[in-house]
């Protein structure tokens, strides 16, 4: 795909977002995060120069580090699983970590945020499909983990994130999104005033319209539908 094609793809996705909001009777905003996994740094530069998106997300710390200088005016999100030993490389570069799902990671984010004298905005990732191949807190354990995470002084919880299972059964997926939205509402009543629960990060290429209409998504993470397929290799750190 040529970079110029991306302009139209983003416009199409933005229109679909608006249509899904209309079906749900929503008037609030939904942020489109461009999931630029495996895309080259030059794409980041193109997005920034043409003001196509304000927010981009990466699944790997290595890619944030390599691409950050090409889009320093963009809002960077860590949307993939985050190893504790990689937190120090991205803590001062991202506006939000979407994949907080274990105590050791909460401790490390808190530690590194303190070093930089910042408060790290985080989402708790929930494994709604109970899939062994994915990260995330089991929904049944969400509020136990919440108590631990919200006690870390340099973490500010902003809401929830999930990667839904790839289902052909739309009715089941709708029910999962409705359950996810319910967890979000319950979360609001269980956090102290230091936190700001306003973000539901869910919905990808295959299901973002459903996430908006039935799950109340305030952020959708779109990659393939905008950027197509492309392999790009970064060095490990």
């Amino acid at each position: 795909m040529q970079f110029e094609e991306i302009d139209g793809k983003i416009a199409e996705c933005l229109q679909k977002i608006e249509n899904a909001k209309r079906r749900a009777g929503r008037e609030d905003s939904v942020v489109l995060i461009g999931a630029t996994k495996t895309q080259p740094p030059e794409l980041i530069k193109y997005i920034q120069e043409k003001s196509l998106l304000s927010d981009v997300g990466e699944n790997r710390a290595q890619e944030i580090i390599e691409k950050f200088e090409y889009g320093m005016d963009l809002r960077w999100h860590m949307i993939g699983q985050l190893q504790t030993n990689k937190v120090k490389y991205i803590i001062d570069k991202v506006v939000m970590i979407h994949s907080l799902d274990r105590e050791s990671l909460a401790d490390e984010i808190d530690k590194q945020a303190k070093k930089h004298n910042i408060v790290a905005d985080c989402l708790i990732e929930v494994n709604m499909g109970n899939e062994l191949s994915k990260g995330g807190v089991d929904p049944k354990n969400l509020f136990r983990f919440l108590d631990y995470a919200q006690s870390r002084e340099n973490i500010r919880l902003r809401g929830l994130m999930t990667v839904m299972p790839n289902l052909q059964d739309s009715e089941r997926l709708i029910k999962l999104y409705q359950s996810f939205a319910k967890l979000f509402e319950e979360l609001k009543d269980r956090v102290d005033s230091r936190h700001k629960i306003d973000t539901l990060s869910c919905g990808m290429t295959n299901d973002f319209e459903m996430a908006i209409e039935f799950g109340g998504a305030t952020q959708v993470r779109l990659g393939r539908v905008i950027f197509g397929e492309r392999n790009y290799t970064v060095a490990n750190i």
Side-chain angles (χ1 to χ4, degrees), residues 34 36-39 41 44 56-72 74-82 86-99 232 234-235 237:
T36 51
K37 174 184 176 181
T38 75
Q39 301 298 325
I44 301 297
V56 293
E58 289 290 347
N59 287 61
R60 300 176 64 200
Q62 291 93 328
E63 294 205 50
I64 292 176
I65 295 163
E66 183 159 329
K67 298 174 186 178
F68 182 78
E69 64 181 280
Y70 291 84
M72 295 183 70
L74 298 172
R75 290 167 47 86
W76 289 82
H77 299 250
M78 181 66 201
I79 60 177
Q81 291 300 294
L82 181 57
K86 302 294 175 65
V87 174
K88 60 185 176 182
Y89 297 110
I90 57 95
I91 192 68
D92 60 338
K93 296 178 175 63
V94 300
V95 297
M96 190 172 290
I97 294 171
H98 290 229
S99 48
Y232 174 69
V234 295
I237 58 174

Side-chain angles (χ1 to χ4, degrees), residues 28-176:
D28 57 331
S29 61
V30 175
V31 176
L32 194 172
I33 299 174
T36 51
K37 174 184 176 181
T38 75
Q39 301 298 325
E42 292 77 16
L43 175 63
I44 301 297
K45 184 177 180 181
Y46 180 80
I47 289 171
Q48 178 174 275
E49 288 179 346
K50 295 204 68 177
S51 300
L52 296 177
L53 295 169
S54 59
D55 295 70
V56 293
E58 289 290 347
N59 287 61
R60 300 176 64 200
Q62 291 93 328
E63 294 205 50
I64 292 176
I65 295 163
E66 183 159 329
K67 298 174 186 178
F68 182 78
E69 64 181 280
Y70 291 84
M72 295 183 70
D73 293 333
L74 298 172
R75 290 167 47 86
W76 289 82
H77 299 250
M78 181 66 201
I79 60 177
Q81 291 300 294
L82 181 57
Q83 295 173 277
T84 55
N85 64 345
K86 302 294 175 65
V87 174
K88 60 185 176 182
Y89 297 110
I90 57 95
I91 192 68
D92 60 338
K93 296 178 175 63
V94 300
V95 297
M96 190 172 290
I97 294 171
H98 290 229
S99 48
L100 176 58
D101 64 354
R102 57 197 186 279
E103 293 182 0
S104 60
L105 182 56
D107 290 341
E108 186 63 19
I109 292 171
D110 184 55
K111 173 184 172 182
Q112 296 299 332
K114 283 178 182 175
K115 285 184 178 181
H116 288 271
N117 195 31
I118 60 176
V119 175
D121 280 343
C122 296
L123 304 178
I124 297 177
E125 181 176 0
V126 184
N127 190 335
M128 293 300 296
N130 293 311
E131 297 174 277
L132 296 178
S133 61
K134 293 178 180 176
V137 178
D138 186 306
K140 296 190 296 292
N141 298 327
L142 171 60
F143 297 113
R144 181 192 62 78
F145 179 67
L146 168 68
D147 291 340
Y148 187 88
Q150 73 170 329
S151 70
R152 306 301 92 182
E153 293 182 357
N154 284 67
I155 286 177
R156 180 170 67 162
L157 297 176
R158 295 290 300 276
L160 300 177
M161 183 273 256
T162 195
V163 179
M164 287 293 185
N166 187 12
L167 298 175
Q168 300 300 319
D169 185 346
S170 59
E171 289 188 10
R172 184 184 169 206
L173 190 55
I174 288 171
K175 288 179 180 178
L176 284 176

Side-chain angles (χ1 to χ4, degrees), residues 185-237:
E185 292 303 318
E186 292 177 12
L187 189 75
K188 293 178 181 179
D189 297 328
R190 292 176 178 254
V191 297
D192 61 48
S193 59
R194 186 172 63 85
H195 302 278
K196 183 181 179 182
I197 306 303
D198 61 358
T199 304
L200 260 182
S201 173
C202 55
M204 299 167 67
T205 289
N206 293 332
D207 64 354
F208 71 95
E209 294 171 89
M210 194 175 293
I212 294 167
E213 189 172 355
F214 299 102
T218 64
Q219 296 179 349
V220 294
R221 311 179 304 272
L222 305 185
R224 190 175 68 255
V225 68
I226 295 174
F227 307 115
E229 304 286 355
R230 182 157 186 173
N231 292 320
Y232 174 69
T233 303
V234 295
N236 288 324
I237 58 174

